[in-house]
Amino acid sequence: MSESNHPHAAGHPGGHPGKHPGEAHEHPGHKPTMTLEDGTPACRLIAWEVTRSCNLACKHCRAEAHPEPYEGELSTEEAKALIDTFPDVGNPIIIFTGGEPLLREDIFELVPYAKAKGLRCVMAPNGTLLSEENVARIKEVGIERCSISIDAANPEQHDEFRGVPGAFKTSMEGIERLKKAGIEFQINTTVTKNNLPFFKEIFHLCQDIGAAAWHIFLLVPTGRAVELGTEVITDQEYENVLNWFYDFQKTTDMQLKATCAPHYHRILRQRAKEDGIPVTFENFGLDAVSRGCLGGVGFCFISHTGQVQPCGYLELDCGNVRDTPFPEIWRTSKQFLNLRNPEVYRGKCGHCEYERVCGGCRARAQTMNGHYLEEEPLCSYEPKKKAKA
């Protein structure tokens, strides 16, 4: 799927279907709109939490989800009215996520409705409900990629993290059904101290089962993940794993992506300079032309109740689609306008020479440093630019 022979290049033909919001990776046939007519950045990716209900109890769940229905979910009519507005902010990829999106009764009505608008649709099921019937329906309505979260190469470790015995086995069975149906899938893995030593094994598992891509996610301590303090890697471990990731990409043609890891855009440029490789789309795919943190810039999250946020981890109330049309929220939200202006970022993020390609994780800034505009707490890099007066 590479655009060139350079080992880093990848087309990333999926969106970012996943339990955690992150960066958009458009399909080669998907033509993103970069700027709207009024100069507002186009929305490239929407993670839509169509339900918060879930049959798992993952230790890192930002939503602290449970299987019972939640009050206040958008009705079918409200959901369709929201879909009607999506083309007004560009040509975004729509991630049907949750919770567990397959627990929403009208999910197979909403997806074709969005497809009829010309929108690329992907889904983030947890894998355990991918029955033959559900996979057939996913295929029928035109979901173009599914993401499945696998956090270990062995059942015991994965099940312990996901909170349900047998989750690994049922997810693998679901993946086999996706493969039989010809539905592309990617694997998402959350980085913790516990599984970091076993990343090569997880990668080989992804490769062996035929995943189209492997996305690693750097943990954001929110929701249940707040209780995982000992599992959050340090800033130096963060730096080490992203440097390892840069080197590891040279060894495989599989599409690899570091998500919720904006520093990777800095590291990529530092390492590419050392290697004498130009940072171009041909050499590095969308990593060369995209920004580290896209929350509120090219990406947003919409909750099950219609609250719009920069991402699922950053619980800022930027407006509710029940009260304000989504395109108006996208264009005028004060928080979104701040996120699009690195000049208002604080601490070293506000004067870093990589501010426009990295941006730091605004959710970690909020949960660990008290405000979404504060500096990224898990970055060990010291900017060469002087602080603003």
Side-chain angles (χ1 to χ4, degrees), residues 8-330:
H8 279 80
H12 300 292
H16 162 332
K19 291 300 159 196
H20 320 287
E23 303 173 42
H25 293 283
E26 288 83 6
H27 189 281
H30 179 89
K31 302 298 182 184
T33 303
M34 302 309 292
T35 307
L36 304 180
E37 289 182 1
D38 62 359
T40 300
C43 185
R44 294 160 50 190
L45 186 70
I46 297 171
W48 183 13
E49 181 190 61
V50 291
T51 181
R52 186 162 282 197
S53 299
C54 188
N55 60 318
L56 295 184
C58 304
K59 287 190 172 182
H60 66 304
C61 181
R62 56 157 185 82
E64 301 183 78
H66 55 67
E68 296 77 25
Y70 283 74
E71 290 186 8
E73 285 186 358
L74 298 179
S75 67
T76 301
E77 293 71 25
E78 288 174 316
K80 288 182 174 179
L82 175 59
I83 291 169
D84 287 339
T85 69
F86 288 160
D88 294 338
V89 297
N91 185 27
I93 296 168
I94 311 302
I95 306 166
F96 288 84
T97 186
E100 169 51 62
L102 291 173
L103 287 177
R104 178 156 177 141
E105 292 184 359
D106 61 359
I107 188 66
F108 295 120
E109 185 178 346
L110 298 182
V111 174
Y113 190 83
K115 292 283 287 186
K117 303 288 180 185
L119 298 168
R120 175 171 165 78
C121 297
V122 296
M123 185 179 283
N126 62 42
T128 63
L129 300 182
L130 290 173
S131 63
E132 288 188 9
E133 180 184 359
N134 278 338
V135 169
R137 297 290 302 278
I138 288 171
K139 176 82 170 179
E140 179 186 352
V141 298
I143 288 291
E144 298 182 50
R145 179 184 280 194
C146 286
S147 71
I148 312 295
S149 294
I150 300 292
D151 298 299
N154 64 78
E156 296 77 20
Q157 193 176 359
H158 174 85
D159 290 358
E160 199 272 334
F161 192 69
R162 292 285 154 182
V164 174
F168 184 89
K169 180 177 181 291
T170 52
S171 292
M172 287 299 164
E173 291 170 349
I175 286 169
E176 284 303 310
R177 295 186 186 109
L178 291 175
K179 287 168 65 176
K180 274 188 183 177
I183 300 169
E184 192 175 72
F185 69 94
Q186 73 181 50
I187 298 299
N188 296 341
T189 300
T190 298
V191 181
T192 67
K193 284 183 182 290
N194 196 35
N195 67 5
L196 190 55
F198 306 105
F199 257 45
K200 285 188 180 179
E201 287 91 333
I202 299 171
F203 165 76
H204 287 302
L205 173 66
C206 297
Q207 197 169 48
D208 291 346
I209 63 178
W214 182 39
H215 288 204
I216 66 168
F217 290 78
L218 278 296
L219 191 67
V220 179
T222 186
R224 287 197 189 105
V226 171
E227 300 170 12
L228 290 180
T230 58
E231 287 293 325
V232 178
I233 62 176
T234 65
D235 57 355
Q236 191 54 55
E237 288 171 321
Y238 202 134
E239 195 83 2
N240 292 343
V241 73
L242 293 181
N243 273 283
W244 169 83
F245 200 66
Y246 175 92
D247 289 325
F248 192 63
Q249 289 192 81
K250 300 175 184 178
T251 70
T252 178
D253 287 330
M254 181 183 283
Q255 302 157 22
L256 303 183
K257 185 65 198 170
T259 302
C260 295
H263 325 358
Y264 185 69
H265 288 250
R266 163 181 57 83
I267 289 170
L268 181 152
R269 284 158 177 81
Q270 292 172 317
R271 297 293 306 279
K273 184 177 180 180
E274 292 171 4
D275 293 343
I277 302 170
V279 179
T280 62
F281 181 84
E282 289 71 28
N283 288 340
F284 292 96
L286 283 160
D287 281 339
V289 296
S290 184
R291 184 176 186 267
C293 179
L294 284 173
V297 180
F299 167 84
C300 73
F301 173 90
I302 303 175
S303 81
H304 64 297
T305 60
Q307 178 173 305
V308 180
Q309 303 172 190
C311 78
Y313 283 138
L314 184 47
E315 293 191 20
L316 296 179
D317 185 356
C318 301
N320 193 293
V321 300
R322 283 177 162 142
D323 305 318
T324 308
F326 173 64
E328 183 178 336
I329 295 172
W330 178 256

